[in-house]
Structures are given as C-alpha cells and as structure tokens.
Amino acid sequence: MQNRREFLKSAGAVVAGSSLLGLAGCAGMDRGAGGHVVVVGGGYGGATVAKYLRMWSEGRINVTLIERSTEFVSCPMSNLVIGGLKNMTDITISYDNLRSRWGVKVITDEVLALDTAKRTVSTAHNGTIAYDRVVLSPGIDFMFDRVGGLAGNEELIPHAWKAGPQTVVLRQQLQDMKDGGIFALHIPKSPYRCPPGPYERACMVANYLRREKPKSKVLVLDANGEIQSKKALFTKAFEGYKGLIEYMPNNELRSVNAKTRTAELDFEKVKADVLNVIPPMRAGNIATQSGLPLINDRWVDVEWLTYEARGIPGVHVIGDSLFPAPTMPKSGHMANQQAKVVAAAIINLLAGEAPNPSPVVMNTCYSFVDAKNAMHVASVHQYDTVKKQPMPVPGAGGVSVAANEIEGKFAHAWAQNIWADMLA
Amino acid sequence: MNAKLVLTTLCLTGLAGLSHANDPNLARNLAATCANCHGTSGKSLGGMESLAGEPKEKLLQKLADFRSGAKPASIMHQISKGYTDEQLDLITAYYAAMK
C-alpha cells in the first residue's frame, strides 16, 4: 500500500506527459478564447469537471473552481477513519495539482448567490465572477429543522456525512465511549447520499468495538423499511456481528435531546452514548436557493444530455444534488462520471456544436464489512433517446457474491485511482 | 448465458433508443468511463490494470471472456455487459492508441 506522499508523487509522474503546465498562466484571465467556466464545489464532481475541461480543451477553456475547504477530504473511505483503520491524512488531498498541472484557478471561498440572467456568481471574499457556463457540484445540505432539537448541535450529535472535521468528532466520540456503551446510528429516508454508506459505517464501528470494547452495541435506527443497498450482503455482515449490531427498520427520528443523547423515534426512545444522526438532506444550498427547478422541493431537475437545470441554459448541475435517473445512486463515482459527460458537453456547446447524443455513465461502490473484506455494487447507464434519460442496462451490473479480500484490495485501488482521476 | 445472447438481449431491451451519431469524441468520452478505476487516459496507479497501450485485440478478447464467464472476475463480468460491441470496439481502439 502506498502512503499518500508516494501516491501523489506517482500520480504526478503518470500524468506529467500530458500536463498543461505551460498554460497555467492563462488561468488568471476571466475569459479566454474558449470561454470561461466557473465550477462551484470541489468534490468528486467539481474537481473532475475542472480537470477534464482543461485537459480535453487543451487549455482553451479557462476554469475557475470555487471551494470552501482548502483541501479535498473524501467521503468514500471516511468510514474507515471512524473505525480506526485509516487516518485523516489518508483521505485528504491538496488541490495543488489542479492549479499547477492543469491551470485551474482554484479559489477558497463560498459562493453566496447565482445570477442566471447576468451569468455571474457572487462570492464572500472574491466579489462577483462572470461565467459563460457554470457547473454546480455542491453536494448536499442537511435539513436539521426536520428533527427537533438537532439544529446547532452538530458537535454533540455529529452526522459525519460530509467528511472533514465531523469525521474527527465522531471518531473521537467513539474512542471516548466506555466499554458497554451504545452507539446509535440514524439513517434518513431515501434518497440520501451514498446508499450503502450507513451500513458500512455500522460494520466499521462494530469492527472497532469487537476488538476494543466488546460489551458495547451498535443500534442501526433506519427510517427506511429495509437495508437500502446490498441488502443480502449487509444482512449477512450484520449476522457476523451478532450481539454487537442490532438493525431496527421503520424507525424515523422525530427529535433528539443533545444533552442526554436521547433519540425519540416513531416507536422507540433510545438513550445512546454516541448518537450519530444522518439528517434528512437535499441538494446543496446554492442549488436550492437559486431558483433552479426542484423535484420534491429537494433535488435539481436536469436535462440529461447536458445536465443543465431544466429551462435554465448555461447552468449545469452534477452529483448528489440531482434528482436521479432510475437506479442512479448518489455516489462519488457517479458524480465523477457525470462530470466527464458535462465537460464534453460544455466543450461542444462553447464551440457551437451539439452535445454528445449518447453519453454513458457507470457506477461502482465498494463497502467494507471489516478490516479486510469488501463488496461492490455496480451498474451501467446508457442514454435512452425515447425516455430522454440514462437507463440502467438490463443484465449488466450487480453485486458481489460475498464480501471478500480481493475486493478489499480493489476498494483501496479504486480510491487511489479515482482520487488521481480527479486531482492529480 | 453466452455473450451473443447477452448482446442480443441488450439490443432488444435496454438500448433500443441508442443513437449512433458520428461524434468524433465518442471514443474518448466512452473510454473516460473506465478512468475512475483504470486511471486517467488508462494509466493506472496500481491495483487495477492499466489499459493504455494494450493491444486492441487483447483487450477485446479479455472483455469477451469476462462476458462469457471464461475469465473469472470480481466485477468486470457485470460491467462489460453494459456496453455494446460497437462501444467496446471504440474504447479498446482508443486505449490501444494511447502511449
């Protein structure tokens, strides 16, 4: 296993041949001959679209990436940090290569508003920035007010559903928990970011507790009626943690008491030592507050050839913010795939050409059940010209037969390669 | 189910509406769907096979073997069935031409 430094070094070596280093000076200009694209959000979707726009346009399109955090922190693999199998440094990557190798202008800032008529974004610290096209990849924001007592109590009742400081808080609370304690994890109703993620987290916590605090218990309080992804595989994994993990479906959270770490559910009241609530969520605030068309008042409705918000040309939306096409998950892998479709479409549109009429996206999600064994779910989605959206290909995709060590190794390789595909 | 039958099924069901427009970047765009795992431009950092510079026929044979089950796989037997023959032809030609 490479450490992060070696990984970044080799990642650099791999792409050096196709580097745009000589074009880095162009990034400071607001509009180049090929146009200017502003990307909001530097996660799996945003970082990928920024890099691929520069790479595929051979530097002709200027790209500004605006991201709140100074470094990328990965949600995939963050459950392994919570379970003590990885450190924060393992899942944290600099944006430096996007700047120096690809000539992306990366700004650490927050976008406050989007003016779709004037084609500008206004930022907290860098004024107003004009664009020819904008890509919103803001991920999700939480609806804390849907659970009584939750708002403002993120430190006491962490979600850790955006990797970063929250991951550290939850890890610390788990470490501080006494042997014999109760770790309660609440899962909101679907759709939510990363369908298998909560169940993987339950396994990672249980894996740690079995080793360090075997008298403890993990309560999985699921608002849904059943396990939402890889059901048979997680059911088997939970059986392997018999006595440690208790799965309780149909338990929607009504309110919490942050001081006593008590959760009031539809039919239960649970007092926990660590209360990990993944709140109900919707598209990132910049998407929901900019007048874009929403479905169920939560997710952005897009045209599937260009990922433009329906009826709002020039505003592309990718990643977890979307109202998904059938069986399309909210995953980092899918955001990376959508980013490439959008990069290709924007390059064509800025050149006055039609977008690719038959884009393909595919998904792979690995989940760990213990320190070594992982399992996957995969799918391929082809654009259907009749339904005008990507549809899963029947007979393709599927899940692992069982969690296994080979896929545990593939899961680590997946992370290294996708992080490089976005950021190296 | 053999590979031919799978392909026939695909053509009859999921992909009936698939366009075959002649986009000069079609191969590049399709190949990019492999890059998450196999590396940007098919240059893997390790743990997954690099595709760049691999002979087209060798890649096509591997994919055919994944589809038929002749070559055991953890995941590629499922993913390879999601692409048409025409698409796999474009993808493998693209990677074969990569340095």
Side-chain angles (χ1 to χ4, degrees):
Chain A
M1 192 74 211
Q2 286 181 312
N3 67 30
R4 190 171 149 258
R5 189 176 295 273
E6 285 163 352
F7 152 61
L8 290 174
K9 218 162 110 188
S10 56
V14 162
V15 295
S18 54
S19 146
L20 292 176
L21 199 59
L23 295 156
C26 301
M29 297 187 296
D30 271 354
R31 285 172 196 269
H36 179 224
V37 176
V38 169
V39 180
V40 181
Y44 277 84
T48 305
V49 79
K51 170 177 163 178
Y52 272 74
L53 277 168
R54 294 288 295 165
M55 184 171 79
W56 280 348
S57 78
E58 296 176 332
R60 283 190 302 276
I61 294 172
N62 287 328
V63 178
T64 303
L65 172 64
I66 307 171
E67 161 59 41
R68 277 192 202 104
S69 308
T70 53
E71 294 177 301
F72 166 80
V73 186
S74 177
C75 280
M77 294 291 169
S78 68
N79 280 334
L80 278 66
V81 176
I82 291 161
L85 300 172
K86 276 188 180 290
N87 296 313
M88 285 303 285
T89 50
D90 297 324
I91 62 166
T92 304
I93 302 170
S94 160
Y95 290 110
D96 284 352
N97 282 335
L98 283 186
R99 291 187 176 97
S100 61
R101 185 164 292 127
W102 298 106
V104 176
K105 185 175 182 180
V106 182
I107 298 175
T108 306
D109 203 345
E110 176 145 7
V111 172
L112 303 174
L114 169 69
D115 188 326
T116 57
K118 288 185 186 157
R119 297 206 169 202
T120 59
V121 296
S122 50
T123 65
H125 305 292
N126 287 271
T128 299
I129 300 174
Y131 63 79
D132 294 305
R133 292 190 167 268
V134 66
V135 182
L136 304 182
S137 188
I140 48 113
D141 271 306
F142 298 111
M143 305 163 86
F144 290 109
D145 58 348
R146 295 294 174 98
V147 178
L150 190 57
N153 286 316
E154 278 177 77
E155 295 292 315
L156 289 167
I157 305 180
H159 52 77
W161 216 239
K162 291 184 183 184
Q166 277 277 302
T167 314
V168 177
V169 170
L170 185 58
R171 169 68 190 153
Q172 192 60 50
Q173 288 192 5
L174 178 59
Q175 278 183 298
D176 294 344
M177 191 175 92
K178 65 175 189 279
D179 191 7
I182 290 176
F183 183 105
L185 161 62
H186 180 258
I187 306 167
K189 280 209 163 128
S190 283
Y192 56 85
R193 157 180 281 181
C194 189
Y199 311 101
E200 180 194 56
R201 176 170 293 177
C203 291
M204 289 296 93
V205 171
N207 179 62
Y208 164 79
L209 293 175
R210 181 157 65 187
R211 212 174 51 232
E212 304 286 337
K213 298 162 189 171
K215 291 180 212 151
S216 309
K217 202 161 193 177
V218 182
L219 295 183
V220 183
L221 309 165
D222 198 338
N224 300 287
E226 59 180 10
I227 292 170
Q228 296 295 291
S229 177
K230 308 175 192 173
K231 185 183 168 188
L233 293 167
F234 275 117
T235 300
K236 193 159 180 231
F238 287 180
E239 281 166 9
Y241 289 110
K242 209 172 173 72
L244 251 173
I245 293 182
E246 189 177 337
Y247 179 67
M248 301 164 72
N250 295 310
N251 264 299
E252 191 159 9
L253 186 59
R254 294 296 167 204
S255 65
V256 291
N257 183 323
K259 279 188 190 150
T260 59
R261 292 204 168 98
T262 306
E264 193 146 348
L265 302 121
D266 276 344
F267 306 108
E268 307 270 346
K269 197 167 184 179
V270 172
K271 188 170 174 347
D273 296 280
V274 177
L275 185 52
N276 174 203
V277 171
I278 304 169
M281 59 190 79
R282 65 200 297 223
N285 287 340
I286 191 63
T288 55
Q289 293 168 4
S290 300
L292 306 185
L294 300 179
I295 293 179
N296 298 332
D297 200 34
R298 291 196 190 197
W299 311 107
V300 183
D301 188 18
V302 296
E303 305 271 3
W304 291 101
L305 284 183
T306 64
Y307 289 73
E308 284 168 295
R310 215 172 276 278
I312 308 186
V315 179
H316 306 258
V317 187
I318 54 174
D320 293 347
S321 278
L322 299 184
F323 184 81
T327 76
M328 186 182 258
K330 294 186 185 301
S331 74
H333 192 109
M334 184 52 78
N336 167 288
Q337 294 268 320
Q338 293 166 346
K340 293 166 188 172
V341 174
V342 168
I346 287 176
I347 290 168
N348 283 17
L349 291 166
L350 286 174
E353 294 162 10
N356 176 8
S358 52
V360 179
V361 291
M362 55 82 55
N363 184 65
T364 301
C365 287
Y366 287 102
S367 305
F368 280 88
V369 298
D370 56 36
K372 286 188 174 165
N373 294 284
M375 59 220 192
H376 78 263
V377 58
S379 54
V380 183
H381 308 250
Q382 297 261 3
Y383 186 75
D384 184 309
T385 51
V386 177
K387 292 180 174 151
K388 295 193 188 312
Q389 62 180 343
M391 294 298 291
V393 178
V399 298
S400 308
V401 176
N404 61 84
E405 285 195 27
I406 291 169
E407 291 199 80
K409 287 180 180 144
F410 279 144
H412 289 294
W414 170 89
Q416 301 291 310
N417 280 299
I418 195 168
W419 292 339
D421 193 36
M422 301 157 56
L423 293 159
Chain B
M1 191 185 277
N2 67 31
K4 204 169 192 175
L5 182 55
V6 168
L7 288 182
T8 312
T9 314
L10 285 178
C11 292
L12 290 176
T13 55
L15 307 179
L18 192 68
S19 166
H20 295 280
N22 191 18
D23 183 332
N25 293 315
L26 199 53
R28 179 200 70 184
N29 296 345
L30 285 165
T33 69
C34 313
N36 309 44
C37 295
H38 294 280
T40 304
S41 305
K43 291 161 189 162
S44 167
L45 295 183
M48 309 272 187
E49 289 180 32
S50 278
L51 305 175
E54 290 294 310
K56 181 181 169 183
E57 293 312 316
K58 185 178 153 194
L59 290 174
L60 275 179
Q61 188 58 50
K62 261 192 195 176
L63 288 162
D65 290 345
F66 283 139
R67 283 171 160 190
S68 71
K71 186 173 168 61
S74 65
I75 191 167
M76 277 308 297
H77 59 303
Q78 297 169 342
I79 294 171
S80 56
K81 287 172 190 158
Y83 295 80
T84 64
D85 281 352
E86 187 191 12
Q87 288 171 335
L88 293 182
D89 199 71
L90 285 166
I91 291 170
T92 52
Y94 180 86
Y95 281 126
M98 294 295 297
K99 294 281 185 277

